[in-house]
């Protein structure tokens, strides 16, 4: 530190996944928060390593921006069964999520760090890490640090929405509803922090999530900070149009690729891509027989893999580079999620690449963009198909939507601007 420089705050960051690589929504956010904080703070990172994510590449990336890193394995080689047992016990004792994530080893390391280092802040990523907060004594009054709990999405609403979409006889409905109740109780305890008088901060990802939180808290959550998501504009460049030059008219025969991107073992993504492939896509290829739906993402299960047997559907699975492997050859992206809390990164990233995105109302609700001009909303299967076909045929309209989408992301979704409240509060600037 040079003479005259202000001391950098020390931050202990807790995340429910190793925040590298930034290849799924939660890791995109946690990585950019970490990278942002490392520019003006000294960061110690303690993470849950669910699936052997703490690879050599992750170690190199994380140690480059952190003072210390610890990743506690819970479901890697030889540990999956233990994690399943802890999750099952969580059903009986409380939250399934907390039952898996409050690892004793992680709690022990956090306590050791607290004994060695005086932290100015503890940043907690999502409600799933609350078990670690409580067991490590991070939430007590009179502690030397201030606590920032980033709820991101209101997870209780997501679980409740998943439960309500299942038939009453399905046992998963009971599990999801119980998880919603348990997480809601955690969210209420977290909400009380903002009124405690010791400078604790609670944040959510969007104004819409703050409104949802109002319902959980039973009144306005006035003290909650909105800490939005952004896009890495250098990593997501505006791409040239991938379609033909036809415009208007029926039977254009232009075709083209439409892409769905997402983690393919996540329930809302599975539901959305099945609806797209089974109910929308037959209508599309009836109009444009050469059209192809490409399904891109990690961990496709049986339900998703079998979609590859449908006419005009290709299940690609994971790709090394989502720009080249998904968006470069696509004329449009589709995001027809029915359960879509927070801000959908898949929508923002497609927009950043200059692609027209056709969303459900739920997926569009968290995005600050003008429907019909910067992104397109179509909930009905016939309308969703009609819009996709028009995008294939009308090159001028498609390019106008894509260009406006890119401009909106550039204007509103740079990470530095979205995360500005974090620095303003933590670093006092």
């Amino acid at each position: 530190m040079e003479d005259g420089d202000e001391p950098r705050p020390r931050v202990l960051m807790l995340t429910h996944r190793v925040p590298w690589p930034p290849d799924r929504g939660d890791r995109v956010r946690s990585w950019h928060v970490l990278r942002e904080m490392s520019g003006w703070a000294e960061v110690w990172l303690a993470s849950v390593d669910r699936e052997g994510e703490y690879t050599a590449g992750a170690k190199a990336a994380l140690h480059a921006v952190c003072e210390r890193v610890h990743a506690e394995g819970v479901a890697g080689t030889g540990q999956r069964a233990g994690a399943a047992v802890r999750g099952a016990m969580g059903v009986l004792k409380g939250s399934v999520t907390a039952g898996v994530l409050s690892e004793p080893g992680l709690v022990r390391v956090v306590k050791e760090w607290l004994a060695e280092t005086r932290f100015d802040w503890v940043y907690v990523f999502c409600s799933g890490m609350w078990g670690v907060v409580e067991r490590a004594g991070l939430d007590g009054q009179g502690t030397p640090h201030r606590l920032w709990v980033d709820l991101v999405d209101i997870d209780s609403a997501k679980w409740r929405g998943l439960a309500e979409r299942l038939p009453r006889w399905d046992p998963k409905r009971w599990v999801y509803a119980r998880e919603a109740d348990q997480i809601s109780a955690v969210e209420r305890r977290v909400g009380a922090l903002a009124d405690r008088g010791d400078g604790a901060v609670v944040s959510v990802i969007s104004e819409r999530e703050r409104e949802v939180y109002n319902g959980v808290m039973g009144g306005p959550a006035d003290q909650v900070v909105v800490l939005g998501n952004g896009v890495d504009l250098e990593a997501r460049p505006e791409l040239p149009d991938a379609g033909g030059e036809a415009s208007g008219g029926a039977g254009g025969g232009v075709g083209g690729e439409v892409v769905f991107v997402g983690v393919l073992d996540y329930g809302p993504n599975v539901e959305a891509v099945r609806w797209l492939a089974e109910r929308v896509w037959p209508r599309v290829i009836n109009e444009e027989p050469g059209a192809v739906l490409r399904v891109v993402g990690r961990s496709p299960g049986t339900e998703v893999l079998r979609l590859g047997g449908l006419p005009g559907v290709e299940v690609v699975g994971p790709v090394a580079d989502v720009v080249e492997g998904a968006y470069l050859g696509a004329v449009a992206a589709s995001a027809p999620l029915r359960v879509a809390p927070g801000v959908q990164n898949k929508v923002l990233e497609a927009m950043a690449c200059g692609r027209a995105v056709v969303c459900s109302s739920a997926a569009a609700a968290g995005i600050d963009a003008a429907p019909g001009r910067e992104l397109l909303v179509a909930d009905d299967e016939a309308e969703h198909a009609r819009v996709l076909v028009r995008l294939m045929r009308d090159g001028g309209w498609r390019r106008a939507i894509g260009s406006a989408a890119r401009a909106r992301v550039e204007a509103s979704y740079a990470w530095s601007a979205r995360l500005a409240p974090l620095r303003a509060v933590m670093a006092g600037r």
Side-chain angles (χ1 to χ4, degrees), residues 3 6 54 71 77 150 158 274-275 278 298 329 376-377:
D3 292 342
E6 295 182 8
Y54 193 45
T77 304
D150 187 6
K158 177 188 72 177
R274 285 191 58 185
W275 181 84
E278 295 172 348
R298 299 175 55 199
L376 304 165
V377 179

Side-chain angles (χ1 to χ4, degrees), residues 56-401:
K59 290 178 184 178
L62 296 173
H63 280 276
V65 295
C66 295
E67 300 296 315
R68 295 182 70 178
V69 179
H70 177 78
E72 185 72 22
V74 298
T77 304
Q79 297 176 332
R80 189 184 305 272
V85 169
R86 286 188 293 275
M89 291 300 293
V91 174
L92 301 177
K93 296 181 179 179
S95 165
V96 176
T97 304
V100 174
L101 298 184
S102 57
E103 276 294 303
L106 188 65
V107 173
R108 175 182 54 78
V109 168
V110 168
K111 286 183 174 180
E112 290 174 357
W113 287 358
L114 289 170
E116 298 169 359
T117 305
R118 186 190 185 284
F119 293 102
D120 299 290
W121 285 90
V122 175
Y123 170 89
V124 184
F125 189 85
C126 89
S127 60
M129 295 304 288
W130 190 249
V132 175
V133 171
E134 291 187 325
R135 287 165 177 78
L138 296 169
D139 60 331
Q141 288 184 303
T143 54
H145 59 262
R146 294 173 66 184
L147 195 61
W148 185 305
V149 182
D150 187 6
L151 291 173
V152 192
D153 306 328
I154 305 307
D155 283 338
S156 62
K158 177 188 72 177
W159 286 103
R160 207 171 303 283
L162 291 172
E164 290 171 353
R165 296 183 68 80
L166 293 172
R168 293 186 178 278
W169 51 262
D170 192 326
K172 291 197 297 292
R173 181 184 174 103
W174 178 84
V175 174
Y176 291 170
R178 180 173 175 79
E179 186 72 352
D181 290 341
Q182 297 299 329
I183 293 178
S184 179
V186 169
E187 290 164 348
R188 287 194 294 272
R189 293 203 295 275
V190 169
L193 295 175
D195 299 320
R196 198 168 65 179
D198 60 358
V201 176
V202 180
S203 60
V204 295
I205 200 170
S206 67
E207 290 291 347
R208 182 179 68 154
E209 291 300 289
R210 180 153 62 182
E211 292 173 4
V212 174
Y213 200 30
N214 288 343
V216 172
M217 296 300 295
D222 294 332
Q223 303 303 314
V224 174
V225 174
V226 173
L227 194 67
N229 259 22
V231 178
D232 185 337
L233 295 173
E234 292 184 5
R236 300 292 180 262
E238 185 171 8
L239 300 172
D241 181 57
E245 295 299 321
S247 62
V254 177
E257 294 180 3
V258 171
V259 67
F260 177 96
V261 175
V263 178
L264 298 176
D265 61 353
Y266 175 54
N269 283 343
V270 174
E271 178 189 46
V273 76
R274 285 191 58 185
W275 181 84
L276 179 61
E278 295 172 348
R279 300 177 62 176
V280 174
W281 207 248
R283 296 173 180 267
V284 172
I285 61 175
N286 185 57
E287 297 290 325
E288 293 291 344
V292 177
L293 171 63
R294 301 179 77 242
V295 180
V296 175
R298 299 175 55 199
S299 308
T302 303
E303 280 188 274
V304 174
L305 289 172
R306 69 174 182 81
L307 299 176
L310 299 176
V313 179
E314 178 186 355
V315 178
V316 178
V319 294
D321 179 357
V322 73
V323 174
E324 184 174 340
Y327 297 123
L328 183 61
V331 298
S334 175
L337 285 84
R338 271 34 188 180
V339 177
V343 176
Q344 295 299 306
N345 283 63
K346 61 174 67 69
V347 174
L348 287 179
E349 294 196 343
M351 291 173 63
C353 290
R355 294 298 177 248
V357 185
V358 188
C359 298
S360 62
S361 298
I367 307 293
D368 179 19
R373 188 168 68 249
E374 297 164 339
L375 83 172
L376 304 165
V377 179
D379 290 310
D380 175 78
E381 59 194 56
E383 176 66 6
H384 205 95
R386 186 193 69 78
V387 172
L388 289 174
V389 169
R390 183 183 171 191
L391 287 170
M392 293 176 192
R393 294 176 176 174
D394 192 337
W397 185 57
R398 179 179 66 242
R399 287 187 286 274
I401 296 291

